[in-house]
Amino acid sequence: MGQIWRAYGRLLSVWVLVALCGSLVPERLRAAEPDKPVVWVLATGGTIAGQGESQVASAYKPGTLRVETLLNAIPEIAEVAEVRAEQFAQIASQDMDVATWLRLAKRINALLQEPQVAGVVVTHGTDTQEETAYFLNLTVKSEKPVVMASAMRPPSALGADGARNLYQAIVCAGSAQAVGQGVMIVMDDKIIGADDATKVSTLEAGAFQDPDFGPLGLIYNGRPIFSRHSLKRHTAQSEFDVSELDSLPRVEVVSSYAGATALFIHAAVQAGARGIVIAGVGNGNMSAEMLNAAASAREQGVAIVRSSRIMRGPTTQWNEVDDDALGFVASWYANPYRARILLMLALTQTEDYREIQRMFRQY
Ligand code: DAS
């Protein structure tokens, strides 16, 4: 019995000694606080990196400032994230293209494979931001957050909005709540889903909306607050893989309007388009001349998707046009520019219009 008590006494004295030593270690040398999330910022240009002559000038040059300059404007971000940055491109986003999209998707997928990386922010011009967001929504192969940040006014302007959007985008990209939400656009305190994001104003600071479904949530008090989830397939659930692709099948958008002719459908076919998206009127309708030309293009093996210039509401099957009889596809909630992106990716997998129609119902 005496031996047990002596062993117990030795154990207790060791425990007391360890506790005393711990209390002597200065606070600053104690185990660091839980690591902050590592967030990568890939900069591509746009107004968020723009430069004007003065803070009251309306003219400016987009794609001027480097990403380091943008991050220097938000020193508070160091309290919430460990930010790493790369000047991926430096363009006005009206010059964004498929080759850059493919490079960007591959770079993001490589970064998100690194265990310590929590998320990625892409700074971007607003003009084609919704297209890049939707392309990434279909090609990023991770649940980790990918968030777009842009601006309607350059940093040099009174009331500049880029620093706020960038700060909030990094906060969102580093937050656990944003995992699995698909690609998002954070702008004007709103979290907008890539599956429905649309620029609805040429000048307003709050230029982006989700016309059909409303925002996914908002950024408030330094964190994302989600109020809904997208039901669309995206990111890790997407069937599209661009890892081995350096180009995509050519798809053009042709608008219908009062008096529209077959001119641009013929031109797209002659230019070698593998698919044509009709930016139709109403529920994806087009003039009789266009319809005949589209049917003829379909018979030559060109995929035809009916979408609409109307901002809200789906372009549906089983309406005025007999899609099954013509081998056409209805775009449902994909507007003409998202429909073009989805059709380009669909054509890397199939030319069967029924399979393509399935994809337009799911993505
Ligand atoms: N031209 C616009 C662009 O680069 C500027 C902007 O709004 O970002 O998309």
Side-chain angles (χ1 to χ4, degrees), residues 65-87:
L65 305 176
R66 284 187 55 83
V67 64
E68 295 80 8
T69 305
L70 306 187
L71 290 168
N72 289 342
I74 48 170
E76 298 83 352
I77 199 62
E79 295 159 25
V80 293
E82 180 187 323
V83 178
R84 300 174 185 170
E86 178 178 306
Q87 192 67 45

Short mmCIF file of all heavy atoms in Angstrom, two decimals, residues 65-87:
data_model
loop_
_atom_site.label_atom_id
_atom_site.label_comp_id
_atom_site.label_asym_id
_atom_site.label_seq_id
_atom_site.Cartn_x
_atom_site.Cartn_y
_atom_site.Cartn_z
N LEU A 65 -3.82 49.33 -60.94
CA LEU A 65 -3.14 49.09 -59.66
C LEU A 65 -2.89 47.58 -59.47
O LEU A 65 -3.72 46.74 -59.83
CB LEU A 65 -4.01 49.63 -58.51
CG LEU A 65 -4.42 51.11 -58.62
CD1 LEU A 65 -5.36 51.47 -57.48
CD2 LEU A 65 -3.20 51.99 -58.65
N ARG A 66 -1.75 47.30 -58.78
CA ARG A 66 -1.44 45.90 -58.50
C ARG A 66 -2.17 45.42 -57.25
O ARG A 66 -2.60 46.21 -56.41
CB ARG A 66 0.08 45.73 -58.32
CG ARG A 66 0.84 45.76 -59.66
CD ARG A 66 2.31 45.42 -59.46
NE ARG A 66 2.47 44.12 -58.77
CZ ARG A 66 2.43 42.94 -59.39
NH1 ARG A 66 2.20 42.89 -60.68
NH2 ARG A 66 2.57 41.82 -58.71
N VAL A 67 -2.25 44.12 -57.09
CA VAL A 67 -3.01 43.54 -55.97
C VAL A 67 -2.44 43.96 -54.62
O VAL A 67 -3.19 44.17 -53.66
CB VAL A 67 -3.05 41.99 -56.11
CG1 VAL A 67 -1.64 41.38 -56.01
CG2 VAL A 67 -3.98 41.37 -55.10
N GLU A 68 -1.13 44.17 -54.53
CA GLU A 68 -0.53 44.60 -53.25
C GLU A 68 -1.11 45.94 -52.82
O GLU A 68 -1.39 46.18 -51.64
CB GLU A 68 0.99 44.70 -53.37
CG GLU A 68 1.73 43.39 -53.62
CD GLU A 68 1.70 42.95 -55.10
OE1 GLU A 68 1.23 43.74 -55.95
OE2 GLU A 68 2.10 41.81 -55.36
N THR A 69 -1.32 46.83 -53.80
CA THR A 69 -1.87 48.16 -53.50
C THR A 69 -3.31 48.03 -52.99
O THR A 69 -3.71 48.70 -52.03
CB THR A 69 -1.84 49.05 -54.76
OG1 THR A 69 -0.49 49.08 -55.26
CG2 THR A 69 -2.34 50.45 -54.48
N LEU A 70 -4.06 47.14 -53.60
CA LEU A 70 -5.46 46.93 -53.16
C LEU A 70 -5.49 46.40 -51.73
O LEU A 70 -6.31 46.84 -50.91
CB LEU A 70 -6.16 45.94 -54.09
CG LEU A 70 -6.14 46.23 -55.60
CD1 LEU A 70 -7.02 45.24 -56.34
CD2 LEU A 70 -6.54 47.65 -55.90
N LEU A 71 -4.57 45.50 -51.40
CA LEU A 71 -4.56 44.91 -50.06
C LEU A 71 -4.03 45.90 -49.02
O LEU A 71 -4.50 45.91 -47.86
CB LEU A 71 -3.74 43.62 -50.05
CG LEU A 71 -4.39 42.46 -50.82
CD1 LEU A 71 -3.41 41.31 -51.02
CD2 LEU A 71 -5.65 41.97 -50.10
N ASN A 72 -3.13 46.77 -49.42
CA ASN A 72 -2.62 47.80 -48.48
C ASN A 72 -3.74 48.73 -48.02
O ASN A 72 -3.64 49.36 -46.97
CB ASN A 72 -1.50 48.61 -49.13
CG ASN A 72 -0.22 47.80 -49.30
OD1 ASN A 72 -0.07 46.76 -48.64
ND2 ASN A 72 0.64 48.22 -50.20
N ALA A 73 -4.82 48.80 -48.78
CA ALA A 73 -5.93 49.70 -48.42
C ALA A 73 -6.83 49.08 -47.35
O ALA A 73 -7.72 49.76 -46.80
CB ALA A 73 -6.76 50.02 -49.66
N ILE A 74 -6.61 47.78 -47.03
CA ILE A 74 -7.46 47.12 -46.01
C ILE A 74 -6.57 46.40 -45.00
O ILE A 74 -6.62 45.16 -44.88
CB ILE A 74 -8.46 46.14 -46.66
CG1 ILE A 74 -7.79 45.20 -47.68
CG2 ILE A 74 -9.59 46.88 -47.35
CD1 ILE A 74 -8.69 44.06 -48.16
N PRO A 75 -5.75 47.13 -44.23
CA PRO A 75 -4.85 46.50 -43.25
C PRO A 75 -5.60 45.67 -42.20
O PRO A 75 -5.06 44.69 -41.68
CB PRO A 75 -4.14 47.69 -42.60
CG PRO A 75 -5.00 48.89 -42.88
CD PRO A 75 -5.68 48.60 -44.18
N GLU A 76 -6.88 46.00 -41.96
CA GLU A 76 -7.64 45.26 -40.93
C GLU A 76 -7.81 43.78 -41.32
O GLU A 76 -8.09 42.94 -40.45
CB GLU A 76 -9.04 45.88 -40.78
CG GLU A 76 -9.06 47.33 -40.30
CD GLU A 76 -8.85 48.33 -41.45
OE1 GLU A 76 -8.54 47.90 -42.59
OE2 GLU A 76 -8.98 49.54 -41.19
N ILE A 77 -7.62 43.48 -42.60
CA ILE A 77 -7.87 42.09 -43.02
C ILE A 77 -6.90 41.13 -42.34
O ILE A 77 -7.20 39.95 -42.15
CB ILE A 77 -7.80 41.96 -44.56
CG1 ILE A 77 -8.50 40.68 -45.02
CG2 ILE A 77 -6.36 42.03 -45.05
CD1 ILE A 77 -9.98 40.62 -44.70
N ALA A 78 -5.73 41.66 -41.91
CA ALA A 78 -4.71 40.81 -41.26
C ALA A 78 -5.24 40.23 -39.94
O ALA A 78 -4.75 39.22 -39.45
CB ALA A 78 -3.44 41.61 -41.00
N GLU A 79 -6.27 40.87 -39.38
CA GLU A 79 -6.84 40.35 -38.11
C GLU A 79 -7.74 39.14 -38.34
O GLU A 79 -8.06 38.40 -37.41
CB GLU A 79 -7.65 41.46 -37.41
CG GLU A 79 -6.80 42.65 -36.94
CD GLU A 79 -7.65 43.92 -36.74
OE1 GLU A 79 -8.88 43.77 -36.50
OE2 GLU A 79 -7.09 45.02 -36.88
N VAL A 80 -8.19 38.96 -39.59
CA VAL A 80 -9.18 37.88 -39.81
C VAL A 80 -8.71 36.81 -40.77
O VAL A 80 -9.32 35.75 -40.86
CB VAL A 80 -10.52 38.47 -40.32
CG1 VAL A 80 -11.17 39.31 -39.25
CG2 VAL A 80 -10.33 39.25 -41.59
N ALA A 81 -7.63 37.08 -41.52
CA ALA A 81 -7.19 36.06 -42.48
C ALA A 81 -5.71 36.23 -42.76
O ALA A 81 -5.15 37.34 -42.63
CB ALA A 81 -7.96 36.19 -43.79
N GLU A 82 -5.07 35.12 -43.12
CA GLU A 82 -3.68 35.20 -43.63
C GLU A 82 -3.82 35.26 -45.16
O GLU A 82 -4.20 34.26 -45.78
CB GLU A 82 -2.88 33.96 -43.21
CG GLU A 82 -1.44 33.99 -43.71
CD GLU A 82 -0.69 32.69 -43.45
OE1 GLU A 82 -0.94 32.08 -42.38
OE2 GLU A 82 0.08 32.27 -44.33
N VAL A 83 -3.56 36.42 -45.72
CA VAL A 83 -3.81 36.64 -47.14
C VAL A 83 -2.53 36.43 -47.95
O VAL A 83 -1.48 36.94 -47.61
CB VAL A 83 -4.35 38.07 -47.40
CG1 VAL A 83 -4.58 38.30 -48.89
CG2 VAL A 83 -5.67 38.26 -46.64
N ARG A 84 -2.65 35.63 -49.02
CA ARG A 84 -1.57 35.49 -49.99
C ARG A 84 -2.11 36.01 -51.32
O ARG A 84 -3.33 35.89 -51.58
CB ARG A 84 -1.15 34.02 -50.10
CG ARG A 84 -0.64 33.48 -48.76
CD ARG A 84 -0.35 32.00 -48.76
NE ARG A 84 0.01 31.54 -47.40
CZ ARG A 84 0.12 30.26 -47.07
NH1 ARG A 84 -0.11 29.32 -47.99
NH2 ARG A 84 0.43 29.91 -45.84
N ALA A 85 -1.25 36.63 -52.14
CA ALA A 85 -1.78 37.33 -53.32
C ALA A 85 -0.94 37.06 -54.56
O ALA A 85 0.25 36.78 -54.47
CB ALA A 85 -1.84 38.81 -53.04
N GLU A 86 -1.62 37.16 -55.71
CA GLU A 86 -0.94 36.94 -57.00
C GLU A 86 -1.62 37.81 -58.06
O GLU A 86 -2.86 37.89 -58.11
CB GLU A 86 -1.10 35.46 -57.36
CG GLU A 86 -0.53 35.03 -58.69
CD GLU A 86 -0.72 33.52 -58.90
OE1 GLU A 86 -0.31 32.73 -58.04
OE2 GLU A 86 -1.33 33.16 -59.92
N GLN A 87 -0.81 38.54 -58.84
CA GLN A 87 -1.37 39.31 -59.95
C GLN A 87 -1.54 38.37 -61.13
O GLN A 87 -0.67 38.20 -61.94
CB GLN A 87 -0.43 40.47 -60.32
CG GLN A 87 -1.05 41.51 -61.26
CD GLN A 87 -2.18 42.29 -60.61
OE1 GLN A 87 -2.05 42.74 -59.47
NE2 GLN A 87 -3.29 42.42 -61.32
#
